[in-house]
Amino acid sequence: MSSVLHLRGLFVSGVASASSARVARFSSPNKKKNYVSSVLMEDREAKPIDLVGGFLAKKPYNPPSWASHLNPIPTHIYSLGHLPTPIHKWNVPNLPDDTEIWIKRDDLSGMQLSGNKVRKLEFLLSDAVAHGADCVITVGGIQSNHCRATAVAARYLNIDCYLILRTSKTLVDKDPGLTGNLLVERLVGAKVELVSKEEYADIGSVALADLLKERLISEGRKPYVIPVGGSNSLGSCLTKQVHAFSVCDDPDYFYNYCQGLLDGLQAGVDMHNIVNIQDAKGLGYAISTAEELQFVKDTAAETGVILDPVYSGKAAYALLKDISANPTKWKGRKILFIHTGGLLGLFDKFEQLAPILIGNWGKMELGESIPRKDGIGKMF
């Protein structure tokens, strides 16, 4: 089965790491027993948030066998997602003969934390806690799913969160509002600092985060920096036979960027051998065409699966276009599409979506013969 996903950092990360690790841990009753015993021994004097259990538990990380040679390998994770997420057949219409699409529902990894980002944060926030951090810094676009997930996860672990969000030059001095991801971020108390797209391009995300880090250190804080998208070697994992769709930059950028992450893990793997990347950015990152939004609307109406406009929507749109244009290439294939969440991003597209959703409502027709209640609730 081929996997299909989309890139805004290293979105091949985490999909295999969390699920494969859990399978490896519990592959036999004895292994499960030993695992639980070791955690109970280790965490006997732990704080309540570290106690063994499910959600929010601190757990040792045992990599799957194919990843055992990587370096660095994290020692622990915090269980932040509702994993493993389900897989089901996706009844997309007009597929070629014998072509099947199945969908991995990482959009169901949790409500506030939904999406693939939680898989990276399980590793990254565990490292932040291990380093004694009392706050985290991360960077993203004004409707970044990663920033929203980081803000929620950090608050779960009683860590403050600082977000550097990229916006337009005309809005950088204005209140960013409460639309979509911003509403959740501000509800959980994240501190939002705005930069213009031009400042972001000139200075870069690393320098911006370092600038804020130095300021917080001078104030006596202990910050931990999480890179854009959580995409570094610690937050990454390998997978095979992936067809990826980049929703910003271009395929060459991602081949080079991801190769750096693989090299950081001492993986000894050529990125070109495990991932095929196609350009799906359209008009640009987070910019939706009318055709793309129509596709998101039609897909929801036909299958019940709601795609986000920035990531999964663009990736699925590009995939289905490729299938339509090259049916023999996909004939007889079983495809696993990874839905990485981002539902809240649709709220930012309200004005574009409104015209294509118009007309599917109306006042209910009530006949004269329908019994009515009188003033005291009796029917007459």
Side-chain angles (χ1 to χ4, degrees), residues 56-349:
L56 295 185
K58 181 181 178 182
K59 299 179 179 180
Y61 175 68
N62 299 312
S65 58
W66 51 265
S68 60
H69 69 290
L70 301 180
N71 184 37
I73 291 179
T75 59
H76 291 79
I77 64 168
Y78 274 106
S79 181
L80 299 174
H82 303 306
L83 307 172
T85 53
I87 295 174
H88 63 84
K89 194 171 183 180
W90 196 13
N91 295 314
V92 178
N94 304 318
L95 293 177
D97 292 341
D98 301 324
T99 302
E100 294 181 5
I101 299 183
W102 294 70
I103 186 167
K104 173 72 169 167
R105 299 297 301 273
D106 265 20
D107 58 314
L108 303 180
S109 60
M111 187 173 70
Q112 302 102 314
L113 277 167
S114 64
N116 68 315
K117 302 298 184 181
V118 66
R119 297 182 181 273
K120 301 179 182 186
L121 291 170
E122 288 193 329
F123 296 96
L124 293 165
L125 286 177
S126 176
D127 194 50
V129 172
H131 281 83
D134 63 7
C135 59
V136 295
I137 299 168
T138 197
V139 188
I142 194 67
Q143 283 294 331
S144 168
N145 299 315
H146 161 70
C147 288
R148 177 253 305 155
T150 302
V152 173
R155 181 50 57 213
Y156 280 153
L157 300 180
N158 298 319
I159 298 173
D160 291 336
C161 182
Y162 290 80
L163 304 177
I164 302 173
L165 300 183
R166 183 179 66 250
T167 189
S168 69
K169 184 165 55 177
T170 58
L171 297 176
V172 73
D173 295 317
K174 297 180 174 62
D175 187 306
L178 299 172
T179 301
N181 288 306
L182 281 164
L183 175 60
V184 177
E185 291 160 359
R186 299 179 75 175
L187 277 173
V188 299
K191 284 75 173 176
V192 175
E193 306 212 359
L194 302 177
V195 297
S196 69
K197 294 177 181 178
E198 291 78 10
E199 290 169 330
Y200 183 91
D202 289 342
I203 301 171
S205 63
V206 174
L208 287 168
D210 285 343
L211 183 66
L212 179 53
K213 177 182 177 181
E214 292 304 315
R215 192 184 84 205
L216 291 172
I217 290 173
S218 71
E219 296 171 359
R221 305 301 301 271
K222 297 179 181 178
Y224 179 94
V225 175
I226 296 174
V228 176
S231 297
N232 61 8
S233 295
L234 181 62
S236 304
C237 196
L238 309 170
T239 187
K240 297 181 178 179
Q241 296 180 324
V242 171
H243 299 269
F245 294 90
S246 58
V247 299
C248 73
D249 298 294
D250 56 44
D252 285 340
Y253 167 84
F254 283 107
Y255 279 122
N256 294 330
Y257 184 86
C258 296
Q259 188 63 55
L261 298 182
L262 292 175
D263 293 344
L265 288 168
Q266 301 178 26
V269 174
D270 187 332
M271 183 69 181
H272 289 81
N273 292 336
I274 61 172
V275 181
N276 170 52
I277 304 175
Q278 297 181 46
D279 192 337
K281 66 177 178 290
L283 294 178
Y285 177 66
I287 303 174
S288 301
T289 66
E291 292 78 14
E292 288 168 350
L293 290 179
Q294 185 69 49
F295 170 78
V296 169
K297 184 261 185 186
D298 291 343
T299 300
E302 292 165 350
T303 73
V305 174
I306 300 176
L307 301 167
D308 83 290
V310 180
Y311 301 101
S312 295
K314 288 197 175 191
Y317 180 70
L319 170 64
L320 270 295
K321 280 184 66 175
D322 194 25
I323 291 176
S324 178
N326 303 288
T328 56
K329 170 184 171 183
W330 298 95
K331 179 178 169 59
R333 303 293 297 274
K334 288 183 173 61
I335 304 159
L336 177 64
F337 182 87
I338 303 173
H339 187 338
T340 57
L343 174 64
L344 291 173
L346 279 171
F347 289 91
D348 198 43
K349 304 293 181 182

